[in-house]
Amino acid sequence: MITFDHLTKRYGATLALDDVSFEVPASSVTGFLGPNGAGKTTAMRILLGHTRATSGRATIDGRQYAAISNPAATVGALLDAQAVHPGRTGAETLALAAAVIGVDRRRVGQVLDLVGLSVAESRRTVKGYSLGMRQRLGIAQALLGSPRALVLDEPANGLDPQGIRAVRDLLRAVADAGCAVLLSSHLLHEVAQLADRVVIIGRGRILEDTTIDDTTAQDLETRYFSLTSTEDRSAA
């Protein structure tokens, strides 16, 4: 389970996160929605130990990231698909990550299959990858340790419609196998088809946290724009 507990983050006079609290249960997908600058990436970076909170906590199975031994085997993450050494091949990138976290190298082939990267593609250097291929590689790396939690920032970015459907099916299968999946996205239609819950954030505050059982893509889009537009007007 992923838990954000009264999380606040200030950068000087700027309040990036304002008392953010929500949970991502095991065996579920939570869509984290909000406009650029709303606080989504900041919250994820705090969860993954990249940034310190001003107050509050973000935990995975009750522990902060720094307290988890071999955290990559507990929580898989993709925040920036471009943050990969361009001179390595895809297979080399995954083999090195597998060695670092201590998983069998055979897992590399398994995750490549899961994300739909062929053997030939995995032997190419990353500098020749499209954005969609880098996204697939990043998701593969996040899955290497068979983590109990998965944190993905815009995982469908750069993917064609077929790739988006494949990633959606993969994440649904991972969640159904027991993983807590948190993903940020601006693709409201895709979130409506995949997520069990939706958390909407605006200007660092949680505006809505709801299940998606009875929510259509159109309902979600209407509600999202209504909430975020109201928040923008109130801050003006």
Side-chain angles (χ1 to χ4, degrees):
M1 175 190 294
I2 298 169
T3 303
F4 295 91
D5 186 12
H6 298 288
L7 200 63
T8 297
K9 177 63 179 179
R10 289 184 177 275
Y11 293 99
T14 301
L15 186 59
L17 294 176
D18 184 5
D19 196 32
V20 167
S21 294
F22 68 93
E23 294 186 349
V24 183
S27 303
S28 72
V29 179
T30 294
F32 198 20
L33 302 177
N36 290 338
K40 303 186 302 295
T41 300
T42 298
M44 289 178 161
R45 286 178 59 82
I46 291 173
L47 176 69
L48 298 170
H50 300 322
T51 302
R52 287 190 176 185
T54 302
S55 62
R57 285 162 47 93
T59 59
I60 302 112
D61 285 343
R63 295 174 294 168
Q64 291 181 293
Y65 189 87
I68 302 172
S69 60
N70 196 9
T74 298
V75 53
L78 172 62
L79 295 187
D80 182 5
Q82 304 289 355
V84 183
H85 194 298
R88 295 193 182 106
T89 68
E92 288 169 345
T93 299
L94 295 179
L96 179 59
V100 169
I101 65 177
V103 300
D104 194 309
R105 186 163 178 163
R106 287 175 293 184
R107 178 68 176 157
V108 170
Q110 294 171 357
V111 294
L112 285 170
D113 286 342
L114 285 174
V115 300
L117 280 175
S118 69
V119 172
E121 289 169 332
S122 75
R123 291 173 177 167
R124 292 167 51 187
T125 55
V126 173
K127 64 184 177 183
Y129 279 18
S130 66
L131 176 56
M133 291 174 68
R134 290 184 185 226
Q135 288 291 113
R136 290 173 185 265
L137 181 65
I139 295 169
Q141 185 167 335
L143 293 171
L144 268 176
S146 301
R148 297 193 297 275
L150 198 58
V151 180
L152 306 172
D153 195 0
E154 298 285 359
N157 191 22
L159 296 177
D160 59 21
Q162 182 178 357
I164 291 173
R165 286 194 298 272
V167 167
R168 182 178 68 214
D169 292 344
L170 172 59
L171 296 182
R172 183 72 263 168
V174 168
D176 290 345
C179 191
V181 179
L182 173 65
L183 64 92
S184 76
S185 180
H186 65 279
L187 300 175
L188 304 184
H189 180 73
E190 289 302 320
V191 170
Q193 294 184 69
L194 172 62
D196 303 296
R197 299 190 67 83
V198 170
V199 175
I200 300 176
I201 187 171
R203 293 186 179 271
R205 298 190 302 152
I206 299 301
L207 306 179
E208 185 159 314
D209 178 356
T210 185
T211 61
I212 205 167
D213 291 341
D214 300 318
T215 303
T216 66
Q218 184 175 356
D219 290 339
L220 176 58
E221 184 171 357
T222 300
R223 186 69 177 144
Y224 170 82
F225 285 113
S226 173
L227 286 166
T228 54
S229 296
T230 300
E231 183 71 6
D232 285 341
R233 288 196 300 271
S234 68

